């Protein structure tokens, strides 16, 4: 997994400190009701510091000044948490912005000129920022692609490490789902004709930068709901504390030695009882969650997508490229009927000479390593077929290239979706074809009676059988194997522990799909699925009231990506897929969605854990402050004073010190996220209540008592 490395230097930390003061603007804080009330309380306390007799207050200017400073620190620390998190987001946008480079473009004067006929006279050199959408450029080996576009002719190896961080080059070619190219990437071999699809300032990178910046600023639906809840709690506490002022006046009317409740202490009580901790860290948690997604080279178009990933009930996974490596390679050759191994190897080799696919190259490689005998040295026996998966490693001692010297690419019969076969026509008139078993069976005049059994055995072992026919006579089978991705079973099990149902939807046959599903422990699988079936599957799951996620890279995946609650599109895929999804994976790794689900879960868990801690804190501070403030008027409350703090002033100050400084102590946790393990919702709730609820209840008592003891040792408030 490639991560974007983001560093926050000393200058940026200074900037976060400066931004903390800028964010004191009430027009900014009013969007966070909790901190807005804290700021209002700070202003009231400041007025009392300037004029201690205001509101009939009886405390000293120094006492009120300390309260004012602590309340101001509370707001500043909260602002710092948000500013620091936002700087990380801005650093990510800056890292993407640094990838944008101006280069020269080879604009084609005649766009219809065939790629093999292009020379210097057909090219006009222009700055990349002068190229407009719809124009066609020529990109040769060593050239940098000037602007985002679509390959309309040619095939080339492209270095996209500047965008994805992956060092391995990728193939971009016309036709199919690998036509999209990104400006700023370099062609390593061959050449392309590219039709520019973006205007200046509207490139893929420009869009990604905008998405990163906007996603950092926008509140997610859950955060909006949490803000409304915190606003409601704040209003309740404001009313309750305001009522206490009049209650104190009532008590003062008949209680000797009690002059009423001090305004500054009531403000301190209000701030201490409000959920200031989670109110201060809420924005930082959201921005940090977005940051963790972007660090994994996934661009989320909104915070909603990240949260939805954390709430998913079902995850639809494709087989090829997600559960398996997607690179099917030849493992063995199996002869059938009267044919021998040499016949099958030779026919397979010759039919693959000009086949540039991964499968074709692997057949050539395997054929060059093998001879006419099997690995155990035995000779083929009529219709006998070796067990699927038994790779042969004996050195070649037969001329599998016999008769290939006179062959050229003109003899090659390329694969087509209609025939589902490819092959070669030899100069002597011999026709060799290889392809899907049923397609070759239909093409051939005859086939051995045992053809189906070995092909079924290969499918049931997770492989793909290709039948080989010579002059319309089936002579054998090529066994291809698509390996499972390392550790994929463990990752799927981890997702299942989170309570997410895993579903595999693949275009492969039932036998292969069942074998793969059994190997990795998939909950449910669907074979021979096309684009229409995928979107129907998404809709059926959603009809049950569940949230569903999926990945895709092709135009035919776009409807399902758009319909899914979380649609992770591949950067290497088509523009239609990238526009339909609400996330884009720059690494084009379909299994990345498993990581995204974990990040979403961690985001929700972090918010839940710190909310639990904050509420538990408020309960503990209630039992600290209320007895200290009212014990003089209501002696019975002394029984609640379990800490036995030295003086009411010490209790108020110690509580505010804890309330302010717990925020910066929790900033690293809010930015990093709580340690997350794949568990069920019930287990996570129990852990939250024990660790963060219990910790939030106990921590205030311990630290407030320690602060009070320090005040006593220093002779403060005595």
């Amino acid at each position: 997994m490639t991560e974007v490395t983001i560093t926050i230097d000393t200058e940026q930390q200074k900037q976060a400190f400066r931004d903390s003061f800028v964010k004191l603007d009430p027009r900014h804080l009013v969007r966070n009701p909790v901190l807005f009330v804290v700021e209002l309380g700070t202003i009231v306390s400041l007025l009392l510091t300037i004029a201690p007799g205001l509101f009939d207050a009886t405390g000293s200017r120094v006492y009120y000044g300390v309260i004012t400073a602590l309340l101001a620190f509370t707001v500043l620390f909260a602002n710092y948490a948000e500013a620091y998190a936002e700087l990380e987001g801005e650093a990510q946008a800056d890292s993407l912005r640094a990838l944008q480079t101006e280069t020269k473009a080879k604009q084609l004067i005649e766009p219809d000129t065939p790629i093999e006929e292009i020379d210097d006279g057909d090219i006009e050199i222009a700055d990349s920022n002068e190229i407009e959408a719809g124009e066609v450029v020529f990109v040769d080996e060593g050239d940098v692609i000037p602007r985002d576009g679509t390959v309309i002719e040619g095939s080339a190896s492209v270095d996209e490490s500047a965008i994805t961080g992956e060092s391995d080059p990728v193939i971009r070619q016309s036709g199919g789902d690998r036509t999209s190219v990104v400006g700023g990437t370099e062609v390593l071999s061959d050449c392309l004709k590219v039709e520019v699809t973006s205007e200046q300032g509207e490139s893929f990178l420009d869009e990604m930068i905008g998405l990163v910046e906007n996603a950092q600023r926008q509140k997610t639906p859950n955060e909006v709901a949490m803000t409304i809840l915190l606003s409601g709690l704040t209003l309740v506490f404001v009313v309750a504390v305001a009522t206490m002022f009049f209650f104190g006046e009532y008590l003062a009317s008949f209680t000797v030695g009690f002059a009423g409740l001090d305004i500054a202490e009531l403000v301190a009580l209000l701030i201490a009882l409000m959920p200031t901790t989670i109110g201060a860290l809420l924005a930082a948690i959201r921005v940090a969650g977005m940051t963790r997604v972007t660090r994994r080279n996934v661009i989320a178009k909104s915070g909603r997508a990240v949260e939805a990933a954390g709430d998913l009930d079902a995850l639809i996974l494709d087989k090829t490229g997600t559960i398996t490596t997607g690179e099917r390679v030849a493992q063995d050759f199996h002869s059938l009927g009267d044919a021998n191994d040499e016949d099958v190897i030779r026919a397979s080799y010759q039919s693959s000479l000009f086949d540039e696919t991964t499968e074709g190259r692997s057949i050539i490689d395997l054929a060059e390593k093998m001879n006419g005998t099997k690995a155990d040295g035995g000779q083929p026996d009529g219709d006998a077929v070796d067990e699927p998966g038994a790779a042969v490693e004996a050195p070649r001692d037969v001329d599998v290239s016999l008769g290939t010297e006179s062959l050229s690419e003109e003899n090659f019969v390329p694969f087509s979706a209609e025939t589902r076969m490819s092959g070669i026509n030899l100069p002597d008139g011999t026709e060799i074809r290889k392809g899907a078993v049923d397609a070759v069976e239909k093409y051939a005049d005859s086939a051995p009676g045992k053809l189906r059994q070995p092909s079924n055995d290969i499918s049931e072992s997770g492989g793909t059988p290709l039948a080989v026919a010579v002059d319309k006579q089936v002579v054998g089978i090529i066994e291809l194997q698509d390996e499972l991705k390392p550790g994929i079973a463990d990752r799927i099990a981890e997702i299942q522990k989170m309570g997410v149902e895993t579903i595999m939807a693949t275009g492969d046959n039932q036998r292969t799909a069942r074998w793969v599903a059994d190997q990795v422990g998939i909950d449910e699988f669907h074979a021979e699925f096309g684009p229409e079936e995928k979107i129907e599957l998404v809709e059926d799951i959603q009809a049950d009231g569940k949230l569903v996620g999926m990945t895709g890279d092709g135009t035919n995946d776009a409807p399902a990506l758009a319909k899914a609650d979380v649609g992770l599109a591949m950067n290497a895929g088509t523009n239609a897929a990238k526009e339909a999804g609400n996330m884009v994976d720059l690494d084009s790794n379909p299994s990345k969605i498993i990581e995204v689900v974990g990040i979403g879960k961690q985001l929700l868990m972090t918010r839940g854990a710190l909310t639990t801690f904050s509420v538990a804190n408020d309960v503990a501070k209630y039992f600290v402050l209320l007895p200290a403030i009212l014990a003089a008027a209501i002696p019975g409350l002394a029984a609640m004073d379990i800490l036995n703090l030295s003086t009411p002033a010490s209790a108020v100050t110690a509580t505010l010190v804890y309330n302010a400084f717990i925020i910066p102590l929790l900033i690293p946790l809010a930015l990093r996220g709580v340690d997350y393990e794949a568990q069920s919702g019930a287990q996570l709730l129990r852990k939250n209540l024990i660790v963060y609820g219990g910790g939030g209840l106990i921590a205030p008592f311990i630290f407030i008592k320690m602060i009070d003891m320090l005040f006593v040792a220093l002779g403060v408030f005595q």
Side-chain angles (χ1 to χ4, degrees):
M1 175 184 66
T2 302
E3 292 192 7
V4 177
T5 303
I6 305 299
T7 57
I8 303 295
D9 57 27
T10 303
E11 184 57 38
Q12 289 173 310
Q13 293 180 24
K14 292 178 181 178
Q15 182 61 46
F17 180 74
R18 291 191 291 268
D19 289 346
S20 302
F21 287 90
V22 174
K23 290 178 180 289
L24 290 174
D25 186 340
R27 292 171 296 182
H28 172 79
L29 285 181
V30 74
R31 291 178 292 178
N32 188 329
V34 175
L35 295 183
F36 183 66
V37 171
V38 176
E39 186 173 49
L40 292 179
T42 306
I43 294 172
V44 171
S45 181
L46 178 62
L47 292 176
L48 289 173
T49 304
I50 298 172
L54 196 64
F55 306 121
D56 296 325
T58 58
S60 68
R61 179 176 278 112
V62 173
Y63 178 46
Y64 293 147
V66 171
I67 291 177
T68 301
L70 292 173
L71 294 181
F73 276 128
T74 302
V75 182
L76 287 172
F77 286 148
N79 288 345
Y80 182 83
E82 181 179 4
Y84 190 90
E86 287 177 347
L87 277 176
E88 283 201 328
E90 290 176 10
Q92 292 172 359
D94 290 341
S95 68
L96 289 173
R97 201 173 281 114
L99 299 177
Q100 294 179 309
T101 57
E102 291 299 330
T103 185
K104 297 295 183 181
K106 298 176 180 177
Q107 184 176 353
L108 285 177
I109 299 173
E110 293 293 337
D112 295 332
T113 304
I115 194 168
E116 64 274 6
E117 298 179 9
I118 296 174
D119 56 30
D120 293 342
D122 300 310
I123 293 172
E124 184 177 276
I125 304 299
D127 290 334
S128 59
N129 57 10
E130 296 176 355
I131 302 297
E132 298 181 358
E135 295 181 344
V136 178
V137 297
F138 175 71
V139 191
D140 203 353
E141 180 178 337
D143 291 344
V144 173
I145 296 173
R147 189 82 64 76
D148 295 359
T150 299
V151 178
I152 58 176
E153 189 177 345
S155 176
S157 175
V158 179
D159 178 9
E160 294 187 346
S161 59
I163 305 296
T164 67
E166 293 288 348
S167 58
D168 293 338
V170 296
I171 300 299
R172 293 290 175 261
Q173 57 192 4
S174 59
D177 294 332
R178 293 292 184 267
T179 62
S180 179
V181 291
V182 180
T185 56
E186 181 182 359
V187 174
L188 299 180
S189 65
D190 302 300
C191 55
L192 301 170
K193 275 175 62 177
V194 176
E195 181 179 350
V196 175
T197 57
S198 66
E199 298 286 357
Q200 174 68 14
E202 298 178 1
S203 68
F204 173 75
L205 275 178
D206 290 316
E207 182 183 356
M208 293 302 102
I209 292 167
L211 289 175
V212 169
E213 293 175 334
N214 291 334
Q216 307 290 348
R217 292 192 293 265
Q218 295 172 351
K219 286 187 177 181
T220 63
N222 283 347
E223 187 179 346
V224 171
M226 178 66 75
T227 301
I228 293 173
L229 174 62
L230 295 181
S231 300
L233 289 175
T234 299
L235 180 61
V236 169
F237 285 124
V238 168
V239 173
V241 172
T243 303
M244 286 182 65
F245 173 78
F246 298 103
F247 179 62
E249 293 296 306
Y250 169 73
L251 291 176
S253 65
F254 60 83
T255 302
V256 178
F258 181 69
L261 295 173
D262 189 277
I263 291 293
E265 293 181 345
L266 284 177
V267 169
L269 177 64
L270 172 63
I271 304 307
L273 294 183
M274 289 193 313
T276 51
T277 305
I278 186 61
L281 297 174
L282 197 57
I285 294 171
R286 178 241 310 162
V287 176
M290 298 294 299
T291 298
R292 286 193 291 276
V293 171
T294 311
R295 278 179 172 169
R296 285 160 176 79
N297 265 5
V298 174
I299 303 298
K301 296 183 179 180
S302 69
R304 179 192 296 270
V306 181
E307 285 193 346
D311 282 329
L312 285 185
D313 300 298
L315 187 59
I316 299 175
L317 302 168
D318 189 19
K319 178 184 79 71
T320 306
T322 303
I323 298 174
T324 63
T325 60
E327 297 292 335
R328 296 187 303 178
V329 295
Q331 292 291 312
D332 205 355
F333 301 103
H334 306 282
S335 58
L336 298 171
D338 295 331
N340 58 37
D341 288 342
E342 292 182 15
D343 295 331
V344 179
I345 294 172
R346 182 179 293 107
S348 301
Y349 182 90
Q350 291 174 336
S351 65
S352 303
L353 273 174
F354 303 101
D355 184 350
E356 295 299 329
T357 65
T358 301
E359 293 92 336
R361 294 299 90 198
S362 70
I363 291 171
I364 294 294
D365 292 340
L366 182 61
E368 290 178 346
K369 295 177 182 176
M370 298 179 64
N371 58 21
T373 60
K374 289 296 181 178
D376 60 5
Q379 297 295 325
D381 182 18
D383 292 342
V385 178
D386 291 317
E387 291 298 319
V392 180
E393 300 177 355
R396 175 172 64 88
D397 61 7
V398 295
D399 184 9
V400 296
S401 63
L402 182 65
T404 62
E405 294 82 357
S406 61
L407 296 179
S408 67
E409 195 166 353
E410 294 179 357
N411 300 103
F412 179 60
V413 179
F415 175 86
S416 72
E418 182 179 353
T419 64
R420 297 166 62 209
M421 297 184 300
S422 64
I424 197 164
N425 296 327
L426 302 183
D428 63 4
T430 302
E431 293 183 0
I432 304 176
R433 297 291 185 271
K434 71 175 190 297
V437 172
D438 57 343
V440 174
E441 248 187 330
K442 187 181 297 185
Y443 158 82
D445 291 334
S446 65
K450 294 185 178 181
L451 170 62
R452 280 293 175 178
Q453 184 56 49
S455 65
N456 289 345
D457 291 342
I458 292 171
S459 295
E460 288 174 358
S461 70
T464 301
L466 294 181
V468 181
V470 178
D471 285 336
K472 297 192 175 183
Q473 305 294 316
V474 178
V475 297
I477 295 175
I478 305 170
E479 178 184 346
L480 303 177
Q481 288 289 344
D482 185 1
E483 296 179 346
L484 298 176
K485 283 193 171 182
I488 189 66
D490 293 336
R491 299 178 73 182
I492 287 176
E494 185 177 339
I495 288 291
Q496 291 167 337
K497 287 180 183 178
M498 300 175 190
V500 179
E501 182 183 8
T502 53
I503 302 169
M504 183 178 73
T506 177
D508 276 334
N509 59 63
Q510 284 281 346
R511 289 185 175 88
T512 300
R514 181 179 291 107
W515 183 87
V516 173
D518 290 342
Q519 292 298 305
V520 299
I522 287 286
D523 294 316
E524 178 183 329
F525 74 90
H526 299 274
E528 300 175 2
F529 252 41
E532 295 80 9
E533 288 87 358
K534 285 184 180 181
I535 192 169
E536 288 176 5
L537 178 60
V538 172
E539 291 173 342
D540 289 344
I541 296 172
Q542 291 175 330
D544 294 332
K546 297 179 179 179
L547 297 182
V548 60
M550 72 165 292
T551 64
D553 61 359
T555 300
N556 55 8
D557 292 323
L561 286 171
K563 187 67 178 176
D565 299 284
V566 176
L568 180 63
M570 302 296 102
N571 179 40
T574 62
N575 289 330
K578 289 188 282 189
E579 290 172 3
N582 50 22
M583 290 186 180
V584 178
D585 177 22
L586 299 182
D587 295 335
S588 298
N589 176 7
S591 63
K592 188 78 70 69
I593 194 169
I594 298 176
E595 299 174 27
V596 171
V597 171
I599 295 170
K601 294 281 186 185
Q602 186 184 39
L603 169 63
L604 297 180
M605 184 177 171
T606 301
R607 183 185 296 145
L610 291 180
T611 299
T612 303
F613 183 87
S614 179
V615 172
N617 261 224
D618 297 338
V619 173
K621 288 180 287 186
Y622 173 85
F623 284 96
V624 172
L625 279 181
L626 205 62
I629 293 175
L630 291 176
I634 308 176
L637 288 177
M640 293 175 57
D641 190 8
I642 58 179
L643 292 184
N644 192 28
L645 300 178
S646 57
T647 65
S650 177
V652 169
T653 307
T655 301
L656 289 181
V657 169
Y658 172 82
N659 195 64
F661 284 89
I662 193 64
I663 295 173
L665 291 178
L666 291 175
I667 288 177
L669 181 62
L671 297 180
R672 185 188 71 248
V674 300
D675 292 334
Y676 177 70
E677 296 179 2
Q679 295 176 323
S680 67
Q683 290 173 313
L684 290 175
L685 178 60
R686 186 162 54 249
K687 179 180 178 180
N688 269 356
L689 290 176
I690 294 174
V691 176
Y692 296 99
L697 197 61
I698 296 171
F701 290 118
I702 296 174
F703 287 102
I704 290 173
K705 181 62 178 177
M706 291 174 62
I707 295 170
D708 177 71
M709 293 171 63
L710 179 63
F711 288 160
V712 172
L714 296 175
V716 181
F717 301 119
Q718 302 302 312

